[in-house]
Amino acid sequence: MSVTLHTNLGDIKIEVFCESVPKTAENFLALCASGYYSSSAFHRLIPNFMIQTGAPVSRPKGGVSIWEEPFEDEIRPTLKHNARGIVSMANKGPGTNGSQFFICFDKAPHLDGKNTVFGHVIGEEGMETLSKMEAIEVDKKNRPKSEIKIERVTVHANPLSG
């Protein structure tokens, strides 16, 4: 499965690892399909590290899973924060996954075993959009000074479909 995040800076297509991390994939895909992420801001940006989003407009620092409670990590030794474009769940410690996620700008091996990797960016357009995002100036709290947001999300059955 894949999704396209249609952002105000361009599209990012993400292949979701449904078989490897089924609960995380179910949560992410259901939130995408329900429109939960529409208008969500990318609220944290650390160049050479990652950009974070996934909080609804109504709860800019929060967000919940489809089960309306935190869910457990699905750490897999074969899924690592080993490249630009890796997509992973944001959390506040073990078993605290909700709706927020981040996309890596670079390798982040210190997160292996701590955050659930559930996808990766596919295609050149998505990587170009990541570069546009990474170039946005941030304040002292790593908040983008210019708005970056998900406008809407398209869910695809085939990761290679348009």
Side-chain angles (χ1 to χ4, degrees):
M1 294 281 291
S2 69
V3 303
T4 299
L5 306 179
H6 303 281
T7 79
N8 60 321
L9 295 181
D11 290 351
I12 299 175
K13 192 167 193 175
I14 298 169
E15 179 182 6
V16 180
F17 304 144
C18 298
E19 291 183 17
S20 299
V21 289
K23 191 163 190 171
T24 304
E26 178 185 4
N27 180 64
F28 179 70
L29 292 168
L31 291 172
C32 286
S34 72
Y36 185 90
Y37 293 126
S38 296
S39 300
S40 289
F42 285 87
H43 62 275
R44 186 171 175 226
L45 189 168
I46 303 173
N48 302 310
F49 178 35
M50 63 90 203
I51 188 163
Q52 185 172 332
T53 188
V57 176
S58 61
R59 297 178 67 188
K61 291 189 177 184
V64 295
S65 72
I66 58 172
W67 302 284
E68 297 187 10
E69 61 186 17
F71 65 97
E72 67 275 4
D73 300 311
E74 291 181 292
I75 304 298
R76 303 292 183 257
T78 55
L79 298 178
K80 298 188 179 298
H81 300 85
N82 60 0
R84 183 175 184 84
I86 292 294
V87 185
S88 187
M89 290 301 293
N91 65 34
K92 296 177 183 176
T96 60
N97 297 294
S99 63
Q100 293 193 34
F101 63 95
F102 60 91
I103 305 171
C104 293
F105 289 134
D106 201 352
K107 296 176 185 176
H110 62 285
L111 299 178
D112 293 342
K114 297 178 182 170
N115 296 75
T116 300
V117 171
F118 69 90
H120 69 120
V121 175
I122 53 176
E124 192 174 318
E125 182 180 9
M127 291 300 190
E128 290 171 3
T129 300
L130 272 185
S131 293
K132 289 178 193 174
M133 291 176 170
E134 191 173 17
I136 298 291
E137 192 176 343
V138 294
D139 66 17
K140 291 179 182 177
K141 293 186 176 182
N142 298 309
R143 292 181 297 228
K145 288 188 174 182
S146 302
E147 181 180 62
I148 310 171
K149 72 176 185 174
I150 298 171
E151 294 175 336
R152 61 187 173 84
V153 180
T154 301
V155 177
H156 311 280
N158 178 343
L160 303 178
S161 70

